[in-house]
Amino acid sequence: MIDRTDAIARVLARVDSTLAQPGPGFPHYADPADGVWVRSPAGDWTGGFWCGMLWLAALRTGDAAYRDHARDWASRLRVRADSNSVFKGFLFWYGAGIGDVLFADPVARELAAAGAAGLVRMHNPRARLIPLGTEAEEASDVGANEANIDALPGTVALLLSQGADAAAIARDHLRQHIALCVRDDGSVCQSASFDPGTGALLRRYTHKGIHENSTWGRAQGWAMIGLAQALARGEAEFRADAVRVADWWLANIPADGVAFWDFDDPAIPVTERDSSATAIGAAALLKLAALIPEHRERYETAARKSVDALVNGYLTPTAPGDTRQPGILTEGCFNKRNGVAIAHELIWGDYFLLEALLALEGDLAPERL
């Protein structure tokens, strides 16, 4: 059994090896066999998570060099503030917003404000949400009449932190995504088409899952994170939604605490896991445990089980004789439908594992992020 202190040390060693690895662009995903990152020149939708790991490394170690690296990498995202993609909420919350929260860093604060302003400019007041946009990364359908549950994490936290007008947009954005993507039983459908004039639902579909009506693992996790971030910022109206989405996760996650890539894959249990969805779910449960006292014990217990399963079964070295560099979170399933990185290290999986570990070790109040 690996204790969490050792696990954190391994993840921080991976941060250091990533900093030392040559190559331009933000780390995106890596083959666990060699740890070499495939990089995204402009950050894609994932670059903020690399900055986020650097902010968390600075929090854990007190080493100002990590803050300097985080600030430098976050500054490279500035050009994305006006990109026509709602997924810049990921970039500017995890890339900059958490640097403001954790360190009151002025560069991070200014970048977070720029990202939030870019989101506000995309807002459709008639539909009462921010659409995917024409430049949304990886979505099968993009534009002014498409929505995606991935548009909640980061985006909600960022807007709720930027004044009354932005906060009002955040509330409408979250309400509409619940209506568009969350089913009555608390399961989540990844994507939706809507009428841009009214916001009315036209169709639900899952563009990364096993089939159009499936519950893709990360969709459920993203909804949990977005709802938890709203509760953490005083938005109590979303409490019941947060509970039913989290409770669906708990009722359907495998007994070992590690999610399959899609809850509806008929090949289960002989199919891919998704360590990144599992890390997202665990981080969300720790936030909700801190925010909803009557559910604290069961949410925290489930989160601990998932984190310990990841640390002991999926974080290199995973067994005696494993000579791979330490701290690689294996078995992340990026996009099975398109055959992209289906058993790889994913930068957002690394981020959420580190966030959850720091919360469990008492370095971080999970609801802050």
Side-chain angles (χ1 to χ4, degrees), residues 281-296:
L285 287 170
L286 290 171
K287 297 179 196 304
L288 293 171
L291 294 163
I292 308 175
E294 60 269 38
H295 295 302
R296 182 182 187 102

Side-chain angles (χ1 to χ4, degrees), residues 11-12 14-15 37 48-59 66 70 94 98 327 345-352 354:
V11 176
L12 292 180
R14 180 60 171 150
V15 171
W37 288 102
F49 293 111
W50 168 233
C51 306
M53 293 195 75
L54 294 165
W55 292 120
L56 292 182
L59 178 70
Y66 287 123
Y94 293 99
I98 69 172
E345 179 183 21
L346 308 174
I347 191 64
W348 62 92
D350 290 357
Y351 169 84
F352 283 107
L354 182 56

Side-chain angles (χ1 to χ4, degrees), residues 105-123:
D105 186 277
V107 172
R109 181 179 299 120
E110 187 274 327
L111 286 168
L119 288 165
V120 167
R121 286 190 287 273
M122 289 182 64
H123 176 236

Side-chain angles (χ1 to χ4, degrees), residues 255-275:
D256 64 2
V258 181
F260 290 103
W261 77 282
D262 190 298
F263 285 96
D264 293 305
D265 188 341
I268 290 171
V270 189
T271 192
E272 286 78 11
R273 303 287 185 133
D274 187 358
S275 60

Side-chain angles (χ1 to χ4, degrees), residues 236-249:
E237 73 171 273
F238 301 106
R239 182 186 179 284
D241 295 305
V243 169
R244 68 190 176 105
V245 169
D247 283 358
W248 192 95
W249 174 275

Side-chain angles (χ1 to χ4, degrees), residues 14-34:
R14 180 60 171 150
V15 171
D16 291 340
S17 70
T18 298
L19 283 169
Q21 193 176 115
F26 291 78
H28 197 38
Y29 60 87
D31 186 337
D34 58 20

Side-chain angles (χ1 to χ4, degrees), residues 190-251:
Q190 184 188 10
S191 301
S193 302
F194 62 91
D195 183 330
T198 66
L201 175 67
L202 300 178
R203 69 163 178 144
R204 284 178 174 160
Y205 62 101
T206 296
H207 71 267
K208 280 188 178 175
I210 190 71
H211 58 71
E212 189 162 273
N213 297 313
S214 71
T215 300
W216 178 57
R218 286 207 301 279
Q220 198 75 22
W222 290 138
M224 291 163 65
I225 286 281
L227 287 160
Q229 288 177 333
L231 290 187
R233 285 151 188 83
E235 302 300 326
E237 73 171 273
F238 301 106
R239 182 186 179 284
D241 295 305
V243 169
R244 68 190 176 105
V245 169
D247 283 358
W248 192 95
W249 174 275
L250 292 186

